[in-house]
Amino acid sequence: MARCVAVIGAPGTGKSALVDRFCRLEGQSPPGAAPTPADPRVVGFNWSGEPWWAIDCPGSIEFLQESVNALTVADAVILCVSPDPAQAVLAAPYLRAVEAAGVPAILFINRMDEATARVRDIVAGLQDYANHVICLRQVPIREGDKVVGAVDLISERAWKYREGEPSALIALPPEIEEREHEARVELLEHLADFDDWLLEQIIEDREPEGGPVFGIAARVLAENRVIPCLIGSAGHGNGIVRLAKALRHEAPQVEALAARLAEGAGTKAPLMAATFHARHRRHVGRTIWLRALAEGVRPSVMLGGASLGSLVDAGSDRAGAVSEVPAGGLAAAVKSDHLPGAGLLTRDAALPPPDWSAPAAGQIACILAPVNERDDVKLSTALARIAADDRSVHVSQDPETGGQRVETQGPIHLRCLRETLAGVFGVETVEQPVPPVYRETITRRAEVHHRHRKQTGGAGQFADVKLTVEPNGRGAGFVFDEVVKGGAVPRNYIPAVGAGAEDATARGPLGFPVVDVRVTLTDGQHHSVDSSDMAFRIAGRAGVAEGLAQGVSVLLQPYHEVRFHVPSVFSGALVPVVSALKGQVLGFDRDPEAKGWDVFRALLPGSALGDLAGQLRSVTQGVGHFDHAFDHYQELYGKEAEKVSAERAEARAAH
Ligand SMILES: Nc1nc2c(ncn2[C@@H]2O[C@H](COP(=O)(O)OP(=O)(O)OP(=O)(O)O)[C@@H](O)[C@H]2O)c(=O)[nH]1
Ligand SMILES: [Mg+2]
């Protein structure tokens, strides 16, 4: 039965080089690069008489969702890391995703040809970000500074690396015996935490044999108890066979994945398949990548509530049709628009993907407008289709401008999205900044008297109102009230005055919507023939507009509560970032959901959100992210306020 491994990790850690090596294990030539930086590369290969699939995920943190999606369909994951302990933090987002997913994971310290640090220090650096114990399974053999081979700590066999070829078995070099013994004891102790037999052997001071220990290692990985760590160099082809053997013996079969997914989804109906990627192409339409979790996935069967279209090879999706995907196999579906880009499929329904795979909040926002105005509808349709498949894109209508507000994970993600819009959907776009949502209010109470009277031809219009317009508490919004006595304004007209008052708050003297104002109708007059709802509404609006003009306006700027999710080592570095943006630090706590991470909370003015992703990434080596929610409005005075008001006036004059 085919098994599937997701290969994830920070950029340049050698994921693609490793997957190429897997292909070459049995002489297959590796396929070319993924079509775009946003796409995973899906590669099928054979190994020891068994079919395998590797999902070579993009490394950029902006496409982390692709790695997360791949975790939903993988039997095991290989997390590639650099041998530099200073870069351990770059693996933190991936360790976080792996632990949230509960998928068996193997760490692969790649680029050992460049390693200068001790392997135990590299592992210690990574351990800061993992709740699972990371178990070193090999120790390197060094000649001078150079790593020339490795010892397997279970079999206690030593291997000398050979350039681009399988390593040669050698006798255990005497100088490494002590280190080997120490590391082996540590490994066995970790494994013994999950195996009574092994614990007994250790207590009785017996040397356990390799065979049973390999069996324990396989079970412990399948049960997701520890994260084993292997070492090598994809670039030089070293340690690859050992890693591939670990996969072959230790990665669970697809039934384990199907059971885990079904339990998470709480479904009784058998899961037939899971989808993990979608791509739109001009003329071809939409292609969806899936993994069969059971037998019986073939064209025209019921899958996900409708008939499945055709299937093509998952690796070279231009190649021939596939008539059946065996359980565990991958394929790409075309003409199956009912399938979600990521989801779990029974025969009759498409269920949502697991909760732990939920997307991150958008990190940068802009408004996308079509270059050609006629493409308005086309743009919104295309954006809706893209966002349905890529959950890390968030599209909404901007309440201020009515335009298409698009939030992505960063500038490369946005560029890829715009290329898809242009190349696939034929919509060229321009990027516009999201205007900050300023508001205004008044600081002084005003009393106004407004009479609306019109005598044109037939029926006239008459309404007379006396109003107080006064500041309301911050955040209390707009309130309309009345204290009219003796029917001076008949009851049935009062709601019209209120509606008119509210109309007037749509735009205040500074040009922004008015909030936190209380309007009270105190008195007035009516006419038995000429008064109407309309007349009172007009009077209410004009009266409140006058009151606002007298009330001394101030600008209000929005403040958001921002939650930064960062490895704890960076929390201190956020303090100056928040101060420079005129924000206020609220505090930080350990993130209960991710080892080694903090949630750092701050209040920041809305105008700071635009550049926040860039600043956050520069102080967290690219790995931090944030989410935010509107918190409150706060007065803005002085030069800044003048600048905003002047810009608003200019914008209105231009329209
Ligand atoms: N020295 C050395 N270089 C390596 C090794 N593995 C990969 N490389 C090189 O590192 C660079 C990046 O390797 P890739 O395989 O493209 O890395 P990746 O993780 O797929 O990168 P992204 O897909 O961009 O995230 C390439 O130039 C590789 O040739 C290795 O073991 N040793
Ligand atoms: Mg790559």
Side-chain angles (χ1 to χ4, degrees):
M1 221 182 286
R3 278 181 286 176
C4 173
V5 58
V7 182
I8 67 171
T13 47
K15 300 176 291 296
S16 301
L18 177 62
V19 171
D20 286 355
R21 288 288 174 189
F22 284 155
C23 275
R24 292 207 184 93
L25 282 170
E26 296 192 348
Q28 197 178 318
S29 44
T36 77
D39 289 296
R41 187 175 62 137
V42 177
V43 180
F45 62 96
N46 287 308
W47 167 230
S48 277
E50 286 174 336
W52 278 84
W53 289 95
I55 307 176
D56 174 13
C57 296
S60 164
I61 198 82
E62 297 186 25
F63 302 117
L64 183 63
Q65 190 69 39
E66 294 298 336
S67 299
V68 171
N69 289 349
L71 296 182
T72 56
V73 296
D75 299 314
V77 52
I78 294 176
L79 171 49
C80 279
V81 297
S82 141
D84 177 1
Q87 296 199 14
V89 72
L90 301 185
Y94 301 92
L95 279 168
R96 180 182 182 142
V98 161
E99 293 203 317
V103 54
I106 298 176
L107 263 174
F108 183 60
I109 305 177
N110 189 29
R111 308 181 78 120
M112 281 304 289
D113 52 305
E114 297 173 338
T116 52
R118 297 189 312 173
V119 168
R120 67 192 102 164
D121 293 337
I122 305 169
V123 170
L126 295 162
Q127 187 66 67
D128 287 346
Y129 303 106
N131 284 311
H132 288 72
V133 173
I134 299 173
C135 293
L136 193 57
R137 290 269 299 265
Q138 293 169 299
V139 285
I141 302 171
R142 295 185 198 250
E143 267 172 21
D145 288 344
K146 222 168 149 343
V147 174
V148 296
V151 185
D152 186 287
L153 294 174
I154 296 182
S155 68
E156 300 200 89
R157 285 176 170 195
W159 303 91
K160 192 171 170 56
Y161 291 153
R162 293 187 300 177
E163 182 64 37
E165 280 182 60
S167 306
L169 186 62
I170 56 166
L172 191 71
E175 66 276 11
I176 202 175
E177 269 175 25
E178 194 185 330
R179 166 74 184 123
E180 191 274 340
H181 181 72
E182 181 194 342
R184 177 176 157 88
V185 167
E186 206 175 307
L187 169 65
L188 294 180
E189 281 175 358
H190 286 319
L191 294 178
D193 283 342
F194 307 102
D195 192 275
D196 291 342
W197 174 81
L198 187 55
L199 188 63
E200 225 167 87
Q201 304 292 303
I202 293 175
I203 292 169
E204 292 172 9
D205 220 6
R206 270 184 245 142
E207 265 298 308
E209 305 247 326
V213 180
F214 274 120
I216 294 165
R219 181 175 58 75
V220 165
L221 178 71
E223 291 174 0
N224 189 24
R225 307 277 197 180
V226 300
I227 299 180
C229 177
L230 286 88
I231 62 177
S233 163
H236 295 271
N238 304 143
I240 306 304
V241 173
R242 185 68 207 86
L243 177 62
K245 280 188 178 168
L247 273 183
R248 179 168 124 77
H249 292 293
E250 298 172 32
Q253 298 284 342
V254 68
E255 290 88 357
L257 170 70
R260 191 168 73 238
L261 291 175
E263 193 191 326
T267 170
K268 293 233 160 47
L271 288 180
M272 297 299 295
T275 59
F276 63 96
H277 183 63
R279 200 153 92 80
H280 297 263
R281 265 175 308 177
R282 192 158 217 159
H283 309 307
V284 181
R286 183 166 168 264
T287 307
I288 303 108
W289 274 260
L290 60 79
R291 181 163 193 224
L293 299 171
E295 299 295 343
V297 175
R298 65 182 90 84
S300 318
V301 296
M302 271 292 276
L303 188 69
S307 167
L308 185 62
S310 19
L311 290 168
V312 293
D313 185 74
S316 49
D317 60 311
R318 275 155 227 273
V322 166
S323 57
E324 167 123 32
V325 201
L330 267 64
V334 286
K335 302 195 186 73
S336 303
D337 280 348
H338 68 286
L339 295 183
L344 309 178
L345 310 175
T346 66
R347 286 212 182 279
D348 301 323
L351 309 174
D355 291 344
W356 52 258
S357 73
Q363 300 296 295
I364 61 167
C366 71
I367 290 180
L368 283 185
V371 167
N372 191 331
E373 266 177 35
R374 281 173 319 191
D375 285 344
D376 232 7
V377 174
K378 220 159 126 188
L379 174 65
S380 57
T381 313
L383 280 173
R385 292 180 62 188
I386 291 174
D389 281 336
D390 179 352
R391 294 179 291 151
S392 64
V393 171
H394 306 271
V395 177
S396 57
Q397 192 179 40
D398 182 59
E400 303 290 302
T401 61
Q404 295 290 324
R405 180 190 165 110
V406 177
E407 291 174 49
T408 61
Q409 299 300 315
I412 314 171
H413 191 200
L414 177 61
R415 196 184 67 219
C416 287
L417 182 145
R418 291 182 59 202
E419 280 168 9
T420 305
L421 282 173
V424 179
F425 294 95
V427 190
E428 296 284 347
T429 50
V430 282
E431 242 174 81
Q432 294 163 352
V434 177
V437 281
Y438 292 107
R439 294 286 178 266
E440 59 177 89
T441 193
I442 48 169
T443 54
R444 195 186 295 162
R445 172 190 159 101
E447 287 186 10
V448 290
H449 178 195
H450 187 89
R451 173 169 291 188
H452 173 67
R453 194 214 309 249
K454 230 173 186 177
Q455 206 66 57
T456 42
Q461 297 181 20
F462 180 90
D464 183 291
V465 290
K466 284 189 179 160
L467 301 156
T468 56
V469 181
E470 59 194 328
N472 203 0
R474 187 67 59 248
F478 169 80
V479 172
F480 175 75
D481 218 349
E482 55 89 12
V483 289
V484 179
K485 290 202 185 72
V489 177
R491 298 239 75 80
N492 55 321
Y493 292 138
I494 291 177
V497 180
E502 194 160 6
D503 291 344
T505 62
R507 195 155 76 200
L510 301 177
F512 296 96
V514 180
V515 294
D516 300 346
V517 166
R518 170 184 286 271
V519 174
T520 312
L521 176 65
T522 53
D523 200 0
Q525 285 176 32
H526 72 286
H527 184 277
S528 56
V529 178
D530 290 345
S531 282
S532 65
D533 276 348
M534 165 111 106
F536 273 102
R537 184 164 182 163
I538 293 171
R541 182 169 60 211
V544 171
E546 268 172 47
L548 291 173
Q550 293 170 21
V552 183
S553 297
V554 284
L555 198 62
L556 294 174
Q557 72 169 330
Y559 270 73
H560 289 238
E561 180 175 333
V562 179
R563 301 193 316 151
F564 296 97
H565 305 272
V566 298
S568 307
V569 286
F570 298 125
S571 285
L574 287 176
V575 176
V577 172
V578 170
S579 323
L581 294 169
K582 301 198 171 119
Q584 180 197 337
V585 174
L586 297 174
F588 54 91
D589 296 302
R590 297 257 166 220
D591 186 338
E593 283 168 25
K595 171 88 184 293
W597 290 69
D598 280 353
V599 181
F600 182 107
R601 294 180 309 118
L603 284 172
L604 281 169
S607 55
L609 296 175
D611 297 332
L612 201 54
Q615 300 206 27
L616 175 61
R617 285 190 170 149
S618 79
V619 297
T620 62
Q621 292 187 32
V623 300
H625 67 278
F626 71 97
D627 55 60
H628 64 95
F630 168 77
D631 193 76
H632 68 276
Y633 277 108
Q634 199 166 306
E635 288 87 354
L636 182 66
Y637 295 106
K639 283 222 161 52
E640 244 181 290
E642 280 162 28
K643 186 166 160 259
V644 173
S645 305
E647 276 170 8
R648 185 65 166 201
E650 220 170 90
R652 276 168 63 192
H655 269 94

